[in-house]
Amino acid sequence: MKTIGMVSRGIRTPLVRAGDDIVKITVDSVLAASKEGNFELNDKDVIGITEGVVARSQGNYASCEQIAQDIRAKFPSGELALTFPILSRNRFGNILKGIKMGCDKLYIMLSYPSDEVGNELVCADALDKAGVNPHTDVLDEKMFREKFGYDTKHVFTGLDYTEYYKSFGSQVEIIYANDVRSILKFTKNVLCCDIHTRARSKRLLKESGAKVVYGLDEILTSPVSGSGYNELYGLLGSNKATENSVKLFPRACQPIVDNIALKLKEITGKQLEVMVFGDGAFKDPVGKIWELADPVVSPAFTPGLSGTPNELKLKFLLDNDFANTDKSELKDAVDAAIKAKGNKPGDKAMGTTPRVYTDLIGSLCDLMSGSGDKGTPVILIQGYFDNYAS
């Protein structure tokens, strides 16, 4: 029996800058790792490339001034509200800086007790103690401080996000609510900053009498004074680049993954699968954040990564179908059951969470690569599609 299952490797690459050929860098780095590590590439191996180095190679950047220019064009009155931004210096600080540069009066409506991706503004126990109902109660900053004081710092960053977001200029007012329509008491001009619920938020606002409604996915969808852009996601998925710029989510990724797979096929004869990955989806038990601050886990992937796993639950088989099978016959019986499974999960897949391949593999890649100084923006996964009967 083959005793090694799935293996995941971080692949170090040269440092990537704007204009670099990310296809060549990825192919060369994977081949060099194969030689150094004395392992072969196989059909159905998976290569993941982090979205950050793809966007950097594309030079997909925008300055705060360019963000401000697009905001002024879309909100000419100079007054607007931001609804449900996530609590993040990296993800939202420079976006907020650019937005404030492009307007005079700014309302910021924060969801509570936590933001969309799990960052706590205040703990649920404190809500109970204060008698606050987050489903119905709309708080201004004075009410929020009276209820919860100033002991509202993030468990990891140590930031008080009310103070941090107010620090981006004068004429910034913070509101706390969970019904997006609550903002219409303050202004009819709204920029929806939520990521995965943005379509519903925009619909509710328009149905309730909002005058001007956009989402972050509609800011910088085309170049502004030579800026980078993303026609699908706008500013969603952006990260802080410098003190005055952001790196946008990469665009036109499908030709990149297709060309990497093609070149490796030409060189090795093997059909590898390739994907670009961003934030995975997994919840931290201490900070409560569940990641996925990008609009999608994977903006592009080769066809073999479509679909969801179809697996049998081994412990279910052992405890039911083969509970009385002789040990000498057990492996053959399990092998046969795995090989005979159909294309759709059945009752014996019980407990195998139905998530698409790219979300599962992207989460694994995100955990492996990290966002710090590991220097492994490419991940190679071997044996992911193997099973006990392989």
Side-chain angles (χ1 to χ4, degrees):
M1 183 176 68
K2 182 180 177 183
T3 57
I4 297 176
M6 183 178 67
V7 175
S8 181
R9 293 180 171 89
I11 307 296
R12 289 212 166 91
T13 70
L15 298 175
V16 177
R17 284 187 158 171
D20 288 347
D21 185 343
I22 195 63
V23 172
K24 185 176 189 304
I25 287 173
T26 301
V27 170
D28 290 349
S29 298
V30 169
L31 293 174
S34 172
K35 183 177 180 180
E36 177 187 340
N38 194 30
F39 61 86
E40 293 184 359
L41 300 176
N42 307 302
D43 290 325
K44 299 297 288 184
D45 286 355
V46 180
I47 293 173
I49 312 120
T50 181
E51 57 84 18
V53 296
V54 177
R56 188 179 302 117
S57 72
Q58 294 174 336
N60 204 18
Y61 293 84
S63 69
C64 293
E65 289 83 4
Q66 290 164 333
I67 294 173
Q69 187 175 338
D70 205 12
I71 291 295
R72 282 192 295 269
K74 290 183 168 69
F75 295 92
S77 72
E79 177 188 273
L80 71 144
L82 310 181
T83 55
F84 306 150
I86 63 173
L87 306 177
S88 172
R89 292 168 294 180
N90 173 44
R91 289 289 190 170
F92 200 70
N94 275 4
I95 291 176
L96 179 54
K97 182 178 179 180
I99 291 170
K100 185 60 184 73
M101 291 168 61
C103 70
D104 302 315
K105 174 66 177 179
L106 184 63
Y107 298 92
I108 302 177
M109 192 169 82
L110 301 177
S111 56
Y112 73 99
S114 62
D115 70 6
E116 182 182 4
V117 298
N119 289 298
E120 277 195 346
L121 193 63
V122 60
C123 73
D125 289 334
L127 293 183
D128 297 338
K129 185 177 179 180
V132 173
N133 184 342
H135 302 291
T136 58
D137 293 349
V138 179
L139 309 177
D140 60 21
E141 186 181 350
K142 181 181 178 183
M143 296 166 64
F144 183 82
R145 293 304 190 189
E146 287 173 350
K147 297 287 187 182
F148 308 114
Y150 286 83
D151 188 22
T152 55
K153 293 180 172 60
H154 190 278
V155 64
F156 286 131
T157 67
L159 281 183
D160 181 319
Y161 278 94
T162 295
E163 289 298 318
Y164 177 62
Y165 282 1
K166 280 191 68 178
S167 72
F168 281 82
S170 61
Q171 295 295 303
V172 176
E173 188 172 334
I174 308 292
I175 300 141
Y176 310 83
N178 290 301
D179 185 335
V180 72
R181 293 167 292 190
S182 300
I183 200 62
L184 298 178
K185 299 173 185 176
F186 302 87
T187 181
K188 304 295 185 184
N189 306 319
V190 187
L191 178 62
C192 296
C193 300
D194 42 344
I195 305 165
H196 307 292
T197 55
R198 62 188 184 273
R200 179 174 184 264
S201 292
K202 286 187 275 189
R203 175 179 61 79
L204 289 173
L205 287 166
K206 291 173 182 177
E207 291 173 352
S208 302
K211 182 180 179 182
V212 180
V213 178
Y214 288 98
L216 278 183
D217 59 324
E218 296 171 292
I219 307 298
L220 291 187
T221 54
S222 59
V224 173
S225 297
S227 73
Y229 67 100
N230 191 301
E231 61 269 63
L232 296 178
Y233 303 117
L235 282 175
L236 290 181
S238 298
N239 289 272
K240 180 178 180 178
T242 69
E243 291 302 318
N244 198 52
S245 67
V246 296
K247 175 173 55 60
L248 280 73
F249 207 54
R251 50 185 305 273
C253 294
Q254 195 61 48
I256 293 173
V257 298
D258 290 342
N259 284 331
I260 290 171
L262 178 63
K263 289 184 180 302
L264 285 170
K265 174 78 169 179
E266 291 172 349
I267 295 169
T268 68
K270 306 296 183 181
Q271 184 63 60
L272 281 76
E273 305 296 341
V274 185
M275 65 183 290
V276 174
F277 69 90
D279 268 357
F282 40 83
K283 186 169 183 176
D284 176 77
V286 177
K288 309 294 194 303
I289 186 171
W290 64 281
E291 290 287 325
L292 201 53
D294 288 321
V296 290
V297 173
S298 178
F301 49 89
T302 49
L305 295 177
S306 296
T308 59
N310 174 29
E311 301 177 357
L312 300 182
K313 199 74 171 179
L314 286 182
K315 63 183 182 182
F316 187 87
L317 291 176
L318 294 177
D319 290 341
N320 291 273
D321 296 49
F322 306 126
N324 299 313
T325 301
D326 187 271
K327 193 171 183 178
S328 63
E329 301 172 351
L330 187 58
K331 184 182 185 308
D332 288 342
V334 171
D335 284 355
I338 292 173
K339 292 174 181 177
K341 67 183 178 182
N343 294 323
K344 295 183 179 180
D347 291 341
K348 292 169 188 176
M350 189 182 302
T352 54
T353 305
R355 293 172 61 187
V356 299
Y357 281 126
T358 50
D359 287 348
L360 289 163
I361 299 172
S363 297
L364 171 61
C365 288
D366 191 21
L367 283 168
M368 280 289 296
S369 66
S371 58
D373 58 8
K374 289 185 174 64
T376 55
V378 173
I379 303 297
L380 173 67
I381 302 170
Q382 298 188 291
Y384 185 86
F385 293 97
D386 288 356
N387 57 41
Y388 184 79
S390 296

